[in-house]
Amino acid sequence: MKRELAECLREDGYATVEDAVGADHAPFKRRGWFGWLR
Amino acid sequence: MELIRNVRRARDSMDWSLYKAGPPPVLVKIAPDLTEQDKRDIAAVALAERVDGLIVSNTTLERPPDVRANMQGEEQAGGLSGAPLMDPSTQVLREMYALTRGKVPLVGCGGISSGKDAYAKIRAGASLVQLYTALVYQVRPVCSLSSGSTSGRCERRTALYRRSLKPHTTAAGPRRGRGCCRA
C-alpha cells in the first residue's frame, strides 16, 4: 500500500505526502476560499 | 460544543505524566450522512473549539445502489463500511477541508483498501489516513506488522499525530496542507 501511494505521489510530481494534502483544492485556493464556498 | 469541552475536561483531569507524548488529542469522528447545515455547523464548532482533528468519516447508514442490488430485498440495519464507503466519505472529507479552510487536521477514513485510495483521501484534504475494514479482509497486502510493543507503537503514533497538528493555514492565507501521513 505504501509502495502504491509512493507511486501515485511520484506520478503527480509530489516529493512528499505533505505536498499532496488538499491538492484537489488547488484550483479553488487560487480563486480564494470564499469564492469557492459561494 | 459542550460535549467537546466535557471530554477535554475529563482528559485534562487525568494524570498523563507517565506518557511521554502527553495527553492524547481529542478528535471528533463524523458521519458521512450529514446535511449541508450539519457540516457547516460541525466545521464552525471545530474551528471555534480548536479541536485536535476530525475523522471523516464513520460508517454510513445509506445503502448505495450497487449494494442495494445485492441485498435481494432484505433490509439491513447498522453502519456500512468498506469499499462502498470510499466515494461518499471522500466527498465529505473534501467538503470539510474546504469548510474548515484547511485549518483543522483531517483523518481520512472509510473504504481505503489501496495506496490509490489513500492518495485520494490525501488529495481531498486528509493529513492522516485510517484503515479498518481492509485490515480484516487483506491484512498483509495493506500493511506489514511492525515489531515492538503495542504501547510503544501507540506512543509513537500519538507523537506523530501531534507533529501533524500544526495549522494548515498561514496568516497570509491557506497553503498546501501540512502534516504527516503514515499509510
Side-chain angles (χ1 to χ4, degrees):
Chain A
M1 183 171 183
K2 287 162 78 173
R3 194 164 39 241
E4 193 179 19
L5 175 57
E7 283 168 14
C8 291
L9 290 165
R10 195 168 47 245
E11 281 171 12
D12 284 353
Y14 295 112
T16 65
V17 167
E18 187 178 324
D19 292 338
V21 173
D24 286 350
H25 301 265
F28 305 115
K29 282 180 177 178
R30 280 198 291 274
R31 282 199 337 232
W33 287 101
F34 294 107
W36 182 62
L37 289 173
R38 276 188 210 118
Chain B
M1 197 175 278
E2 195 55 36
L3 176 61
I4 293 171
R5 289 176 187 165
N6 286 340
V7 170
R8 278 186 172 153
R9 257 195 297 272
R11 176 196 63 180
D12 295 341
S13 69
M14 297 167 76
D15 179 15
W16 298 100
S17 58
L18 293 176
Y19 293 80
K20 285 180 191 167
V26 175
L27 290 90
V28 178
K29 191 172 193 177
I30 65 172
D33 312 316
L34 300 170
T35 65
E36 296 305 312
Q37 188 59 51
D38 288 338
K39 286 177 242 181
R40 278 196 287 270
D41 290 346
I42 290 169
V45 170
L47 288 167
E49 290 296 313
R50 294 173 178 264
V51 298
D52 294 321
L54 292 174
I55 304 175
V56 189
S57 71
N58 207 333
T59 55
T60 180
L61 295 176
E62 298 289 328
R63 295 294 181 269
D66 51 335
V67 172
R68 197 170 283 281
N70 291 324
M71 286 167 54
Q72 299 172 335
E74 294 173 13
E75 285 303 312
Q76 292 180 346
L80 177 71
S81 69
L85 186 57
M86 177 66 196
D87 289 343
S89 62
T90 305
Q91 180 55 31
V92 176
L93 176 70
R94 190 173 286 112
E95 291 171 27
M96 293 309 293
Y97 185 85
L99 289 167
T100 55
R101 302 186 293 279
K103 289 180 177 176
V104 178
L106 302 178
V107 180
C109 176
I112 300 173
S113 60
S114 68
K116 283 182 182 166
D117 293 340
Y119 185 54
K121 299 281 187 190
I122 291 163
R123 287 189 62 105
S127 301
L128 292 157
V129 294
Q130 177 185 332
L131 310 175
Y132 53 93
T133 303
L135 295 174
V136 176
Y137 292 106
Q138 42 170 325
V139 175
R140 278 291 174 182
V142 173
C143 69
S144 57
L145 299 173
S146 59
S147 60
S149 69
T150 304
S151 61
R153 285 203 300 274
C154 286
E155 283 207 4
R156 282 197 295 278
R157 283 173 190 161
T158 303
L160 278 171
Y161 183 74
R162 290 200 156 278
R163 272 176 23 207
S164 78
L165 294 182
K166 294 170 189 171
H168 292 191
T169 304
T170 64
R175 60 178 165 79
R176 275 193 173 158
R178 178 170 180 79
C180 68
C181 172
R182 296 291 180 270

